[in-house]
Amino acid sequence: MAQYFPGRVHEQNAKWTAVDNYAQSHLHPSSRPYHAPLENVLKNSLASGLPDISSYPVLAKFFALQCTALGVKHALEIGTLGGYTAIWLAKLNPGLKVTTIDVDPKHVAVARENARNAGIEEGRIEFLQGPALDVLPGVREEIAQGKREKFGFVWIDADKVNNWKYFDLIVSGGLALPRTVIYVDNIARRGNLPKRPEELKLGVDEDNEEDLEDNREGLRGAREVVENVGKDDRVEGVVLQTVGEKSYDGFLFAVVKG
Ligand code: DHB
Ligand code: MG
């Protein structure tokens, strides 16, 4: 698996990778019918020139199983990329419809192709292209008019600066059912969450100004959503740090009060 994440990583450790590889070889073996189609999604996304910043197998399967356990019928994803997570959700949950938003038409085209190749029936994944802050109000309107169902699962994994705006729009716009789980990715990367920007040791490419700026923005977006969720009586949240074959990072997990 690790070969699909050769690019930007945020701390790796041979033990973390070994544990993932061992557990994956037993729990996600090639004998499972969905194994090869999902591998192909990652391969084709990389071959199509998409950045290797997708969810990794353990995380995507965890979300798919969350949807199974919670009996989710409608899932919302912000940040489609190559559709890897959306395809996992759809593959493991035949009764689930996924709505996924991405600003980049190329991502949407590759994700559509990946979903088709993975054998996902037309319509099970709804691809919406555009900036999520422009697309979500239309989704809200359709829900208000009874033309679409509210979501029971939300995965936010797009541009990090808008984390809170997406989160707030979903909760205040009535897009989520009571007890909906909302995940926000890339919250704990390199353990920098509690540090001030001037203390940052960004690690991967500190000389690259673009990389530095990108990470500063990401950090700002991570803090804003964590701090605001902590002040928000509509939700209850926790940050879970993760290690694995891809990197050290973590996500915010929040539940809409019912
Ligand atoms: C990176 C990882 C992500 O999960 C993401 O959503 C964006 C960027 C990264 O590794 O740079
Ligand atoms: Mg991410």
Side-chain angles (χ1 to χ4, degrees):
M1 300 285 180
Q3 73 268 24
Y4 299 125
F5 307 105
R8 289 176 57 182
V9 294
H10 311 292
E11 296 184 34
Q12 275 187 316
N13 175 305
K15 285 188 194 173
W16 306 344
T17 303
V19 169
D20 261 0
N21 286 343
Y22 168 83
Q24 285 288 83
S25 72
H26 289 283
L27 300 173
H28 180 46
S30 53
S31 55
R32 298 279 194 201
Y34 52 79
H35 184 104
L38 286 160
E39 292 274 292
N40 287 336
V41 171
L42 287 181
K43 276 187 212 159
N44 187 52
S45 298
L46 281 186
S48 305
L50 266 49
D52 63 333
I53 57 172
S54 167
S55 288
Y56 50 102
V58 173
L59 196 62
K61 187 176 185 184
F62 171 70
F63 293 139
L65 291 174
Q66 282 263 301
C67 289
T68 308
L70 298 170
V72 175
K73 296 276 178 257
H74 298 272
L76 173 66
E77 175 182 63
I78 302 180
T80 311
L81 198 60
Y84 183 65
T85 309
I87 293 168
W88 258 109
L89 299 188
K91 269 279 174 204
L92 257 59
N93 297 284
L96 175 71
K97 182 177 168 191
V98 184
T99 298
T100 182
I101 306 172
D102 203 293
V103 66
D104 189 328
K106 180 172 178 190
H107 293 178
V108 177
V110 172
R112 274 186 197 282
E113 181 187 31
N114 282 338
R116 237 186 342 262
N117 291 341
I120 305 292
E121 303 84 359
E122 196 67 34
R124 292 218 35 233
I125 302 181
E126 174 188 32
F127 297 96
L128 302 178
Q129 192 261 311
L133 291 177
D134 294 344
V135 172
L136 285 171
V139 172
R140 177 182 57 196
E141 203 45 43
E142 287 178 17
I143 289 173
Q145 291 170 6
K147 293 184 186 154
R148 72 159 71 225
E149 300 295 324
K150 292 188 181 195
F151 300 102
F153 176 94
V154 179
W155 166 233
I156 300 174
D157 189 19
D159 57 325
K160 313 306 168 192
V161 275
N162 287 316
N163 278 342
W164 170 249
K165 287 194 177 128
Y166 300 143
F167 190 105
D168 187 43
L169 229 163
I170 287 160
V171 177
S172 60
L175 273 72
L177 290 164
R179 296 185 304 286
T180 287
V181 298
I182 305 179
Y183 286 93
V184 188
D185 199 23
N186 309 116
I187 294 292
R189 181 180 294 176
R190 294 193 206 111
N192 283 326
L193 187 66
K195 294 182 191 163
R196 294 195 297 277
E198 61 272 22
E199 293 170 335
L200 284 178
K201 302 250 184 303
L202 286 166
V204 172
D205 191 357
E206 291 178 47
D207 297 331
N208 180 336
E209 276 303 311
E210 228 171 82
D211 195 26
L212 193 77
E213 276 313 304
D214 182 40
N215 282 297
R216 276 189 206 283
E217 290 270 283
L219 190 60
R220 227 171 273 136
R223 284 195 182 139
E224 187 180 29
V225 72
V226 168
E227 292 169 17
N228 287 350
V229 163
K231 293 180 208 135
D232 191 329
D233 290 335
R234 302 169 301 178
V235 291
E236 219 26 92
V238 70
V239 167
L240 200 65
Q241 301 183 73
T242 57
V243 296
E245 63 169 308
K246 192 181 171 194
S247 59
Y248 164 43
D249 207 321
F251 49 74
L252 169 71
F253 170 65
V255 179
V256 181
K257 289 185 188 168

